[in-house]
Amino acid sequence: MAALKQLSLLFGVYLLAVWLADRLPFPFPASVLGMLLLLLLLFSGAVKPRHLEKGADLLLQNMMFLFVPAGVSIMDYYPLIRDKVPQLILIALLTLVVTLMVTALTVQGISALLERRKGTER
């Protein structure tokens, strides 16, 4: 039952973001706006991380099902992208490498900050 309440909260924030994104005078992705709203709610203390843990874990455990419609819709547009497949693969590989590098550098930076913090606490 807790997971259902938490999923309702997550989807409620997303619906609010969709509503707000529709009313903005410029195009803005509702998913990004939803993450910003959720971040504000977490920072303000209006929502605690424990209020979202089970719902977020449920979504993460079933994430593969969320990508099925996108994968199937790509097949609908295959005739349009058939000539662009090599470029799309190259873009995917390049973004994979960049993502891995940025993730590694972020982990290194955070680890260094945590080590420095531990050194000053002693």
Side-chain angles (χ1 to χ4, degrees), residues 82-104:
R82 178 184 12 221
D83 299 334
K84 307 282 188 245
V85 170
Q87 293 96 327
L88 292 172
I89 290 173
L90 180 64
I91 290 169
L93 290 173
L94 287 174
T95 55
L96 172 69
V97 169
V98 169
T99 302
L100 290 174
M101 289 172 48
V102 169
T103 302

Side-chain angles (χ1 to χ4, degrees), residues 21-91:
D22 285 342
R23 277 140 187 81
L24 288 175
F26 50 89
F28 197 83
S31 56
V32 174
L33 189 56
M35 287 188 286
L36 291 172
L37 288 172
L38 192 56
L39 184 66
L40 287 172
L41 288 171
L42 288 166
F43 275 145
S44 71
V47 174
K48 304 278 189 250
R50 63 182 156 79
H51 296 149
L52 301 171
E53 284 176 1
K54 289 181 183 174
D57 285 343
L58 183 67
L59 285 174
L60 285 172
Q61 290 169 359
N62 297 294
M63 189 183 300
M64 66 181 156
F65 296 115
L66 301 175
F67 288 101
V68 170
V72 171
S73 68
I74 287 175
M75 297 312 294
D76 288 338
Y77 294 102
Y78 183 72
L80 294 173
I81 63 171
R82 178 184 12 221
D83 299 334
K84 307 282 188 245
V85 170
Q87 293 96 327
L88 292 172
I89 290 173
L90 180 64
I91 290 169

Side-chain angles (χ1 to χ4, degrees), residues 113-122:
L113 284 173
L114 290 174
E115 287 298 320
R116 212 174 324 153
R117 180 185 274 178
K118 284 182 184 177
T120 59
E121 288 178 358
R122 294 178 187 167

